[in-house]
Amino acid sequence: MISFLVVNPFIDSLLKILSIVGLMTVSAMGLIYLERKIAARFHMRLGPTRTGPAGLLQSVADALKLVGKEDIRPASADAWSFELAPYFVFIPAFMMFVTIPFTLMLNVEMLTLGLLYIIAISSVSIVGWVMAGWGSDNRYALIGALRAAAQGISYELPLVLSVLCIAMIAQSLNLNEIIAQQTIVPNILLQPFAFFLFFTSALAEMNRAPFDIPVGESEVVGGPFVEYSGIRWSMFFLAEYTALLIMSILIVALFLGGWSWPFGEKLGTSWQILLTIMKTSLVIFLIFWVRVSVPRMRIDQLMNFCWKVLIPLALIQIFLNGLILVFHLPTFLLAVSSIMLMGVLVLIINKSMQNLNKNHIVKNNLESA
Amino acid sequence: MDSVEKLLIQYLPVLIAAVIAFFLVFSALIGSRLLAPFSIEKQKADTYECGMIPIRSANTNIGIRFYFYAILFVIFDVEALFIFPWAVSFIALGPESFIFMSIFIFILLIGLAYAWKKGALSWR
């Protein structure tokens, strides 16, 4: 379908990226509207209703307001890092679109090292967060930025290790090849633990609830972005929703079989688009659902969970995967090992919850006594 | 030479995407500068801090625990980079490479256990 455009690699990719600009803007606005609407329904509210039919134009109105809003830079802020931070946050988020597989043919360029590229680029935005926090010369912003950095780099590791689990099974870093191998069995059935790892650390990388400590309104009033207003602030917002979209498509590609599963890869392009959109919407809905149902974690719980639970278990999973694959043991053992590790994880979480409750009861008794 | 050129052409879209993203942000900032009102007032440019005028600059010393995590991150991220080329080729390389890699992962696990025992992982 797209093949008639392939005249010159430069013009070809330029056109595709320009069309992605449109896609990104529309989808970010749509996601903002959907998140507000879905969160409202979970809270038994109505959400936006006044702007346009069923509040559909709310995001457009917000965008217009943000463009027309005064853009203030605090007098004591560090001009260079304050002004450059939106670039550092937005550009990496946008660059990730290059190797995102919408369908078999519909992508800007399928890099052979696509997974490594995405992992590398996605962590650049942490620099932007720290620049925003440091440059604002505001205590809330600085604390938020440091938390964002600590959380971002910590959860980068489970993310990379879960991607490695998939790369070991697929023996490739090309996203289209990884999807093509999932025509019969999606990776979520082979590696449910890797899916959990990726989902959790993607939430943490995007600073979404329950990992929204860096931007927690009740603690650091918006984190690194307190001092930003108007169009600069909306750049951060746009980058956040772009990252949400990309991470969801990535989860779909890595674990849910992307455009191929369950009907095989010989489908037409429109079917592939439909499959991708449906699965991506499902993942995005799941992310919204987690946001409205789970309370924010404390930072010590967050770091302990990452370093003492997720990373050791992920390394064990890589070892087990290697053992099974290199000696050509039956494939179902991959699923068995992954489910076992999942069980261990559930046990650990359960035990720490019990401890938490016990401490809580003891404290309450002390207070009442 | 040919393969190198091919590789570079593959990354041409990455460069284009970076440039377009830069101009997106740039044009948005310019557009806002043209559309939005600008009135420079001294009070407005104060740092936001609960209505108080902040004392001293906010850029002060930072807790040492952030550095612990940063150092550990560097170690483990480099390790993950080492695993990447192995992960996509270890079946072809055979059991020998798997044994070497498990020794490597084991050493790292010992390192993690050491950091854990020393208390570098506990948030105080």
Side-chain angles (χ1 to χ4, degrees):
Chain A
M1 193 188 96
I2 299 295
S3 57
F4 72 93
L5 283 177
V6 186
V7 266
N8 175 334
F10 183 77
I11 295 171
D12 176 50
S13 41
L14 191 69
L15 285 174
K16 283 175 178 170
I17 291 170
L18 282 177
S19 60
I20 277 188
V21 172
L23 172 85
M24 178 204 66
T25 324
V26 172
S27 63
M29 280 184 171
L31 284 177
I32 293 169
Y33 170 74
L34 280 176
E35 172 154 32
R36 296 179 70 171
K37 212 63 181 170
I38 291 173
R41 298 316 298 195
F42 271 105
H43 295 153
M44 300 177 82
R45 294 183 284 121
L46 287 175
T49 51
R50 294 301 178 92
T51 1
L56 267 171
L57 295 177
Q58 185 64 47
S59 301
V60 182
D62 285 346
L64 282 176
K65 184 210 81 173
L66 284 169
V67 171
K69 203 178 166 196
E70 189 175 349
D71 186 10
I72 300 170
R73 192 181 79 210
S76 59
D78 183 63
W80 274 99
S81 54
F82 188 86
E83 303 257 342
L84 280 179
Y87 292 93
F88 271 78
V89 174
F90 180 76
I91 293 175
F94 186 78
M95 276 168 78
M96 281 199 278
F97 268 118
V98 168
T99 187
I100 290 295
F102 296 104
T103 72
L104 178 62
M105 296 304 293
L106 223 60
N107 48 57
V108 180
E109 176 77 53
M110 241 333 118
L111 304 173
T112 36
L113 296 177
L115 263 181
L116 188 63
Y117 167 78
I118 284 182
I119 297 286
I121 292 293
S122 71
S123 51
V124 176
S125 61
I126 297 171
V127 178
W129 283 69
V130 174
M131 277 169 77
W134 180 265
S136 299
D137 191 33
N138 180 316
R139 285 178 178 81
Y140 295 126
L142 185 64
I143 293 169
L146 286 172
R147 286 175 172 189
Q151 172 180 325
I153 60 175
S154 297
Y155 277 85
E156 180 87 17
L157 294 170
L159 191 82
V160 175
L161 294 176
S162 67
V163 160
L164 274 171
C165 292
I166 298 304
M168 285 168 85
I169 292 172
Q171 291 290 299
S172 168
L173 295 174
N174 182 329
L175 280 164
N176 261 348
E177 277 177 32
I178 292 174
I179 293 173
Q181 289 178 6
Q182 299 178 55
T183 43
I184 303 161
V185 184
N187 278 337
I188 186 173
L189 295 180
L190 285 179
Q191 297 278 281
F193 180 64
F195 172 75
F196 176 81
L197 272 181
F198 193 92
F199 190 78
T200 319
S201 27
L203 285 182
E205 287 283 299
M206 293 184 289
N207 297 307
R208 290 195 75 84
F211 302 103
D212 56 348
I213 300 169
V215 292
E217 291 88 350
S218 52
E219 300 162 18
V220 285
V221 282
F225 316 137
V226 224
E227 293 290 359
Y228 284 87
S229 59
I231 196 74
R232 282 211 192 94
W233 182 80
S234 64
M235 283 295 127
F236 289 113
F237 212 57
L238 195 60
E240 191 186 321
Y241 280 88
T242 307
L244 171 67
L245 182 68
I246 287 172
M247 278 300 179
S248 310
I249 300 182
L250 208 58
I251 289 174
V252 168
L254 288 176
F255 296 98
L256 301 177
W259 38 258
S260 91
W261 184 76
F263 299 122
E265 53 184 308
K266 291 198 175 59
L267 286 170
T269 309
S270 38
W271 273 106
Q272 291 180 357
I273 292 178
L274 193 69
L275 271 180
T276 311
I277 290 178
M278 277 169 61
K279 290 176 187 172
T280 313
S281 326
L282 189 73
V283 172
I284 290 176
F285 179 71
L286 209 64
I287 292 173
F288 290 167
W289 190 357
V290 169
R291 183 198 148 159
V292 291
S293 326
V294 185
R296 188 181 297 146
M297 284 170 91
R298 234 170 37 214
I299 191 152
D300 60 326
Q301 294 169 337
L302 180 96
M303 295 309 242
N304 284 349
F305 187 54
C306 176
W307 285 97
K308 296 183 180 172
V309 181
L310 291 183
I311 290 175
L313 287 180
L315 285 173
I316 292 170
Q317 175 75 76
I318 285 179
F319 173 76
L320 289 175
N321 275 1
L323 195 69
I324 292 161
L325 288 169
V326 87
F327 293 111
H328 301 286
L329 300 176
T331 321
F332 75 89
L333 281 178
L334 288 173
V336 172
S337 70
S338 197
I339 290 169
M340 268 168 55
L341 284 175
M342 200 72 200
V344 172
L345 184 76
V346 170
L347 278 181
I348 292 172
I349 292 176
N350 202 12
K351 209 182 156 210
S352 64
M353 292 289 244
Q354 277 171 358
N355 282 343
L356 213 66
N357 285 340
K358 223 184 280 167
N359 291 344
H360 199 67
I361 290 164
V362 169
K363 210 188 264 174
N364 279 356
N365 285 345
L366 281 177
E367 271 164 15
S368 60
Chain B
M1 194 61 208
D2 197 35
S3 63
V4 172
E5 231 162 57
K6 233 180 183 174
L7 192 75
L8 285 180
I9 283 182
Q10 213 186 15
Y11 281 89
L12 185 69
V14 175
L15 182 69
I16 297 173
V19 172
I20 288 183
F22 176 81
F23 277 107
L24 265 178
V25 184
F26 191 72
S27 60
L29 292 185
I30 292 288
S32 156
R33 182 133 307 201
L34 294 177
L35 286 171
F38 267 88
S39 66
I40 298 306
E41 239 180 86
K42 229 181 168 189
Q43 297 281 301
K44 216 183 247 177
D46 272 351
T47 306
Y48 162 71
E49 208 157 294
C50 306
M52 306 273 280
I53 296 169
I55 305 163
R56 276 179 272 133
S57 150
N59 300 342
T60 49
N61 296 351
I62 296 157
I64 190 82
R65 57 196 173 214
F66 289 107
Y67 294 102
F68 281 141
Y69 286 111
I71 291 166
L72 282 170
F73 165 72
V74 171
I75 297 167
F76 276 88
D77 214 35
V78 170
E79 166 240 335
L81 267 183
F82 276 132
I83 300 180
F84 259 106
W86 170 80
V88 292
S89 59
F90 74 103
I91 296 182
L93 289 174
E96 200 178 78
S97 77
F98 169 68
I99 291 165
F100 288 149
M101 193 44 87
S102 9
I103 293 169
F104 180 61
I105 291 176
F106 184 65
I107 292 173
L108 274 159
L109 274 174
I110 292 177
L112 186 67
Y114 177 74
W116 192 337
K117 191 168 176 290
K118 281 285 176 186
L121 297 184
S122 49
W123 188 272
R124 279 159 305 184

